[in-house]
Each structure stands twice: as structure tokens, then as C-alpha cells.
Amino acid sequence: MTHPLPRYRTRVLAAGVAALAIASAAGCSSGGDAADPGSYTVWDPYPQYQAGSDWAKLLDKCGAGAGVKVKRTAYDTTDLTNKALLAAQQGNAPDVLIVDNPVVSTLAEAGVLTTTAETGTDTSTIQPNLLAAGQAGGKTYGIPIGANTLALFYNEKVLKAADVDVSTIKDWTSLTAALQKVKAAGKKGITFSAIGTEEGSFQFLPWFWGAGAQLTGLDAPQSVDALTLWSDWVKKGYAPKSVLNNTQTTSWQEFATGDYAFAENGTWQLENVKKAGFPYGIIPLPGKDGGTAPAPTGGEFVTVPVQDDTGRYGTSKKIGDCLTSGDDSYTAVSTLSYIAPTTQIQQKQVEAKPELKVWVDAVHAAKGRTSDNLGTKYPKISQQMWTAVQSALSGSATPQEAMAKAQTSVK
């Protein structure tokens, strides 16, 4: 399956925060179908998978393994957050809720979700950096079903024409030198998304974190360094001015023309790049001084909403465990085009498809956007960050001015 976007969408966060006041008054829920105690409801953000799909079959299998029938409802990601908040208020939340990872902290703060301690869910095999996206206040609210993230795709033909050896690209200096050679050879450098939405922040974060910056200090020198890098690339023609309006989809379409050396994009483009018609490769996004830059994690968490009847949690846990562990986890991440959250399943993925190794490495270095106890503060920080990126790349402010204004606005 190919995702035109990773499942994080900024409108989800905005909707969730806007609905927070409604949900904060939420009481407990009864869950499931009162007339049919053998039925458990599961809500997910995958409307593209209809009845009879591999995903729907997996849910049915997990329900059967837990001794119940699963009643599944699929919503668009935005609708799912709003529906979950409203359902909690009305006392009819689903038994299992699969929700975009940045929204977990919003739902947790609203009192909608149980903790893994309450349900007795074992999180010991989950990669800590992935689990962190669902943690707030020292508590964990669910388990990631899988993760996607970002890396650099490259066009071997363009790099060869520019006499660039991709193995020499280890940091910002070597990457910029490669872009310079590509431009000198009459080719195009790098394309990415710097649009004024969460997509822009999502794509900027690897460079931001790769400089050693923290989301609590948008005006720090490291933050300015990251924005200066992007701004200089646009000024020097290494990146097109279209990045200001590029979504990740339109950025990918630019790369797919075969004219660009590099594209920052995600796991969800793996099938598309195979159809592009030119030889390609993938390398991790480099940190400023080397190493793999932390990229933000996309992907959903399997959570258990609060219920009046706490006796339902045991079965809900079994359904969640089925989706996030063992062979069924492998089926889930394969169906959803994700990297598994456990080392065991990651190894199985790489054995089946060696090209996933670079993505496993990227996920190991990845970071949740709401990590570091940012929780519901993240959307406001992100909005100011993408606004700063737009200002600097358009030339209306210097990187330092843009980041200083962003930090002041956050405060």
C-alpha cells in the first residue's frame, strides 16, 4: 500500500485540541454493544480498507482469538479524533481505538484513554523511542502498531552525471557539496515539503533535531542553523522555490520526473519509487555533524478507551496484543506499510525485504513529536515553526528573525 501522506495530519491535532473542552467533561463509557456482550467495537483510521481486505480479516482473526466478534468502524483520521472525543462524552466509546500517535496525548489529557498499567499491557519489547509518542506525565497510553518516517531517496542517474559518490554523504557539509555539484552539472538538487502546515514541520524536524535543537527552544542557535540550511539551499538554487507550497505528494511528483538528485520522503513511497523508471537508492537523513538525524515518527497507537465496565479491558487487551505482537504484528505492518515497533518483527521484515534495512535504521533513530513531555503543547510549537520556515524561505525574514518571532509567539 502507498500512503500519499503519513498519518499525522495537522488538522487532526487542531481538531483534537479544539474538542478538548468538550471531552474534558467526558464521563466513563460502557463500550461495545450492551445487547451483545460478545461484540467488541474497534475504530480505526483506515477507511481505504473495506470488508474483506487483509486488514479487516486480521481484525476478525484477533477478535476470534479473544473469543469475541469485532465490530469495526473506519473513519478518516480527522473524523476519528472528533468521534472519539464525542463518544467519550456520550458514554459510548469503542473498546479499542487505533489513533494517530500525536493525538494520543490529547485524548489522554481529556481522560479518554486507559494506561497500559490499567490494562496490564506489556510494553517491554516496544522500542522506547516509538513508545514515547504515546507517553504523557510518566504514563503510557497504548502501543504503536507500527511506524513510518523519513529518509533521502536519490536518483543514481543524476548523481552519476554530477560525479557524486553517495557514500561520501555523511553530514550537512557533504550533502550541500553534492547539491552544488549537481547544480553545476545542470541538474536539480533536492526537493522537500516546506508548506505552511504540519507537513512542513514534519519534514523540517529531521534537520532541526539533526542540528541538536529542542522544540522548547525555537530561537536557539541550533534551531537557526537548521533553518539557515534550508534557506541557503533555496537561495542558491539547490532546492526549488516550489518547496514553499509543496506537500509531500507534490514534492514526490517533482522527484518522480527524474530531474532531481534527492527527495526527502517516507516509507509510503517505496512502491512508487519502484515505478519511477530510474535507478534509485535510499540513505538516512544526515545530522549536521554526521550520524542519522532523528526523524519524526508517523503511525498509529492501539489504545483502550475508558469504560464503565472495566471487566472489558482484558478482552480489549487481547485484541490489541494480537495487532502488536508476533506473526499478526507482521501481518499488520505489512498491510499498513509500516516498520514494526519490535526488533523481532523488524528483523523478519528485513529478511523478507532487504531494502527495508535503511527504514529500520531510520525508525531506530526516530522521535515522537509529542515526546519530551510536550503533549498538547506540540501543535502550537509546530505551527510557529512552520510559520518561521515559510518566512525564512520566502525571504521575508532572516532565519534568526523568523525563529526568534516563533519562540516569542509560543511563549
Side-chain angles (χ1 to χ4, degrees):
M1 180 185 67
T2 302
H3 301 304
L5 300 175
R7 301 184 188 93
Y8 56 78
R9 306 170 185 173
T10 183
R11 62 182 184 271
V12 177
L13 296 174
V17 172
L20 195 58
I22 296 175
S24 62
C28 296
S29 337
S30 57
D33 184 345
D36 183 6
S39 172
Y40 274 62
T41 52
V42 176
W43 290 4
D44 69 51
Y46 314 130
Q48 67 271 35
Y49 296 119
Q50 299 179 0
S53 65
D54 288 345
W55 171 250
K57 290 176 181 177
L58 177 59
L59 286 178
D60 288 341
K61 178 184 176 183
C62 289
V68 297
K69 180 180 179 181
V70 163
K71 287 192 175 180
R72 175 205 176 210
T73 304
Y75 295 100
D76 176 81
T77 308
T78 304
D79 292 338
L80 178 60
T81 304
N82 291 331
K83 295 284 188 184
L85 288 163
L86 184 60
Q89 181 191 26
Q90 296 176 338
N92 59 357
D95 291 290
V96 177
L97 175 65
I98 302 172
V99 66
D100 198 18
N101 77 71
V103 182
V104 172
S105 57
T106 297
L107 297 178
E109 185 173 308
V112 173
L113 304 178
T114 62
T115 67
T116 53
E118 289 176 282
T119 59
T121 301
D122 180 15
T123 63
S124 62
T125 62
I126 307 297
Q127 282 186 211
N129 63 320
L130 301 183
L131 195 63
Q135 294 175 326
K139 297 179 180 180
T140 302
Y141 298 87
I143 287 185
I145 196 167
N148 58 25
T149 192
L150 299 165
L152 277 182
F153 291 82
Y154 64 86
N155 184 323
E156 291 180 358
K157 188 175 179 180
V158 173
L159 292 186
K160 184 176 181 180
D163 193 28
V164 171
D165 180 356
V166 74
S167 68
T168 64
I169 298 174
K170 304 292 185 183
D171 52 23
W172 289 4
T173 299
S174 54
L175 176 57
T176 300
L179 296 176
Q180 185 178 20
K181 292 180 72 173
V182 168
K183 185 186 178 188
K187 304 295 182 180
K188 297 180 180 180
I190 186 170
T191 180
F192 49 86
S193 170
I195 194 170
T197 68
E198 177 64 18
E199 284 189 74
S201 290
F202 190 80
Q203 290 238 319
F204 182 60
L205 276 171
W207 312 98
F208 181 86
W209 284 330
Q214 300 292 325
L215 286 169
T216 50
L218 296 181
D219 58 348
Q222 297 91 336
S223 308
V224 175
D225 284 348
L227 188 49
T228 299
L229 178 74
W230 269 20
S231 179
D232 284 351
W233 283 353
V234 173
K235 285 180 183 177
K236 294 176 181 179
Y238 301 160
K241 292 183 179 178
S242 59
V243 298
L244 278 162
N245 298 309
N246 271 349
T247 64
Q248 292 185 111
T249 299
T250 56
S251 171
W252 181 259
Q253 290 168 349
E254 288 180 336
F255 181 66
T257 63
D259 296 332
Y260 285 84
F262 297 97
E264 178 184 354
N265 227 292
T267 331
W268 52 94
Q269 299 293 7
L270 275 173
E271 293 306 313
N272 281 341
V273 76
K274 294 175 184 177
K275 303 172 185 176
F278 52 78
Y280 72 93
I282 306 167
I283 58 174
L285 290 160
K288 179 182 178 181
D289 299 317
T292 299
T297 57
E300 291 79 37
F301 265 60
V302 180
T303 68
V304 177
V306 173
Q307 307 289 347
D308 238 351
D309 180 5
T310 59
R312 298 182 70 87
Y313 293 160
T315 299
S316 297
K317 171 187 174 296
K318 289 179 182 178
I319 296 172
D321 287 347
C322 174
L323 295 172
T324 58
S325 62
D327 290 340
D328 292 313
S329 172
Y330 180 77
T331 301
V333 294
S334 297
T335 300
L336 301 173
S337 295
Y338 281 152
I339 299 300
T342 64
T343 301
Q344 179 187 8
I345 304 301
Q346 288 171 0
Q347 291 173 344
K348 187 173 180 179
Q349 287 183 283
V350 173
E351 288 172 3
K353 293 184 177 181
E355 65 267 28
L356 292 179
K357 176 65 166 59
V358 67
W359 296 105
V360 169
D361 290 344
V363 163
H364 276 229
K367 185 174 181 177
R369 283 157 283 165
T370 58
S371 298
D372 301 327
N373 271 323
L374 288 178
T376 54
K377 298 176 184 176
Y378 173 75
K380 184 175 182 180
I381 295 171
S382 178
Q383 182 175 5
Q384 295 307 321
M385 184 163 61
W386 81 58
T387 300
V389 169
Q390 286 270 302
S391 295
L393 269 58
S394 66
S396 64
T398 67
Q400 187 165 7
E401 290 168 346
M403 283 304 203
K405 183 177 179 181
Q407 183 64 22
T408 299
S409 297
V410 168
K411 289 181 178 178

